[in-house]
Structure formats: C-alpha cells, structure tokens
Amino acid sequence: MKLVFLGPPGIGKGTYARAVSKRYNIPHISTGDIFREEIKKNTELGRRIKGYVERGELVPDDIVIEVVKQRLRQPDCRKGFILDGFPRTIRQAEALDEIARVDLALNFVAPDEVIIERISGRRICTRCGAIYHIKFMPPKYVGVCDNCGGPLILRKDDRPEVVRHRLEIYREKFAPILDYYRRRKLLVDIDASEQAPQVIPKIIKVLETYFHSEET
Ligand code: AP5
C-alpha cells in the first residue's frame, strides 16, 4: 500500500496518516516531521532548512528529494508507506515516480475557515510529535501529552502571518500536483470537513475498496 496524502496545511493529513499507519502497520513518513526533528536536534540538515520551515516556505527540491529517497530505502517501506507532505512540486512528484510506484493519492478537501480553525488550535508534543487540538482533540491535561507526558507547544510556522503565507504557497503550487495524479487516475478526493472520527472511516473505506479490487 503505497500512499500519498495531499491537501492544504492543517487539513489533518498528519492526524489521518497516523491512524492509517497504525491500522495497516505501514510507516508514516512526514517530511515536515523529519525537518522539525532535524531542526530540534540542530543537525547540519536542520540548520540548512530551519529558515525555510519557520518562514513557511518550501525547502529546496534537491534537499527534500534526497531525504525522501534515503527514507524510502529503509526496509520498513518494502510493504508500503504513507507519504505526508511529499510531493509538493512537480519535480518532487517526478522524482518519486523514479523511486516507487504510488498506488493512490488521497486529496483532502475542506473550506479555508475550517483549516484556519484547525491550525490555530493545534498543539504538538515536543517529545513524541503527537498532534492535539485545544477544542477538537484536547489532551487530558492542558499542555501535557497523553502518550508520553511531554510538553505541548504551538508550532513556529502556525503563527497567523506564517499560516497565511503557507496557504498562499499551497494555492500557487498545488494545482499541478493534483493534475499530475488525476491524469494517472490515482487521485481520490476526500471531504475532510467533518471531525477526524468521521473522516478516518471514509479513508479506510476508499483503501479497502481499492486494494480489495486490486486483489480480485
Ligand atoms: P508539514 O509539516 O508537511 O506541514 P503542512 O503540509 O503545512 O501540514 P500540517 O502539518 O500543517 O497539517 P496537517 O494536514 O498534517 O494537519 P494535522 O494533522 O496536524 O510541512 C511543514 C514545512 O516543512 C513546510 O512549510 C515546508 O517548509 C517544509 N516541507 C515539508 N515538506 C516539504 C516538501 N515536500 N517540499 C518542500 N518543503 C517541505 O491537523 C491540524 C490540526 O487539526 C490538529 O490540531 C488536529 O488535531 C486537528 N484536526 C485534524 N483533523 C481534524 C478534523 N477532521 N476535525 C477537527 N480537527 C482536526
């Protein structure tokens, strides 16, 4: 099951990918998570990309493609993977085609006001990366991760002025990616305007239908 999760910032790609990864036991590969981890550890890669990520700009293609290439070579990706946040440019999509054959690209769709409310209430665990929402998915104790007890923070790129910039970049760059997968008949739109417990079963249904019909 080789999947690509597409859609605007804050629509819930990471939330859904974590659920699908758990259900099918395939790795969830989020380029955003990888970059945030490198920045946190202050590695050479982290120092190179920090400015782009914190300003909400795209990291240069060569860097992102190399990171994904290395990750997809790991043995846990043999039976499948979920790519979250990649590809974001046609060059990245073409590079991905050379590395792996994507089975399906799921495109999550919701109105802007829904997305902005999700981003502004998001909190992430600095220790394990778990995702919460102060209203829709609150932790048991304010500011503390249910999984590992780590502190919850607002991401630097979730400040309102950076969110606006990320949404502009998304609108400017994303249509060609959707067309790329639509032309290959791999694109499935999923309405993500409902709460996550309603969206996740819709994703599972699409996957069961697609992969069941592949087997028969
Ligand atoms: P990345 O981390 O990929 O950010 P993004 O695509 O902007 O997506 P987000 O992580 O903001 O949102 P999400 O859709 O995963 O939503 P989430 O599940 O958290 O990238 C960050 C940066 O890294 C980029 O700006 C760029 O600089 C760089 N980068 C990464 N990949 C790159 C690439 N390929 N090329 C170049 N640069 C790259 O959910 C959001 C909130 O809503 C949460 O609080 C959640 O609890 C809540 N929520 C989720 N679903 C629902 C629901 N259905 N109902 C109610 N609440 C919900």
Side-chain angles (χ1 to χ4, degrees), residues 50-58 157 162 165-167 169:
K50 188 172 193 274
Y52 297 104
V53 173
E54 289 181 358
R55 289 191 300 271
E57 284 164 15
L58 293 185
D157 59 347
V162 183
H165 187 47
R166 284 164 60 203
L167 280 168
I169 292 185

Side-chain angles (χ1 to χ4, degrees), residues 23-132:
R23 181 175 176 111
Y24 295 104
N25 197 23
I26 50 173
H28 164 210
I29 301 167
S30 154
T31 40
D33 285 351
I34 295 174
F35 292 153
R36 282 186 287 279
E37 193 57 27
E38 296 287 331
I39 293 170
K40 192 169 100 186
K41 290 188 189 147
N42 195 23
T43 60
E44 196 204 322
L45 173 63
R47 288 191 292 277
R48 278 169 74 196
I49 60 173
K50 188 172 193 274
Y52 297 104
V53 173
E54 289 181 358
R55 289 191 300 271
E57 284 164 15
L58 293 185
V59 171
D61 282 341
D62 289 339
I63 300 179
V64 193
I65 291 168
E66 193 48 38
V67 164
V68 172
K69 218 185 239 176
Q70 298 289 343
R71 182 62 188 88
L72 292 181
R73 277 197 198 123
Q74 302 301 313
D76 64 334
C77 294
R78 265 187 221 132
K79 75 172 209 197
F81 53 76
I82 306 162
L83 277 171
D84 159 13
F86 183 95
R88 269 173 150 100
T89 64
I90 290 293
R91 227 188 112 208
Q92 293 180 15
E94 288 169 349
L96 177 58
D97 275 347
E98 287 168 21
I99 314 170
R101 191 185 68 101
V102 169
D103 293 310
L104 269 186
L106 304 188
N107 175 38
F108 298 98
V109 188
D112 275 6
E113 57 274 18
V114 169
I115 292 167
I116 289 167
E117 189 181 15
R118 285 183 190 169
I119 296 189
S120 56
R122 170 167 50 196
R123 298 293 180 273
I124 57 162
C125 175
T126 52
R127 208 176 286 159
C128 73
I131 307 166
Y132 296 89

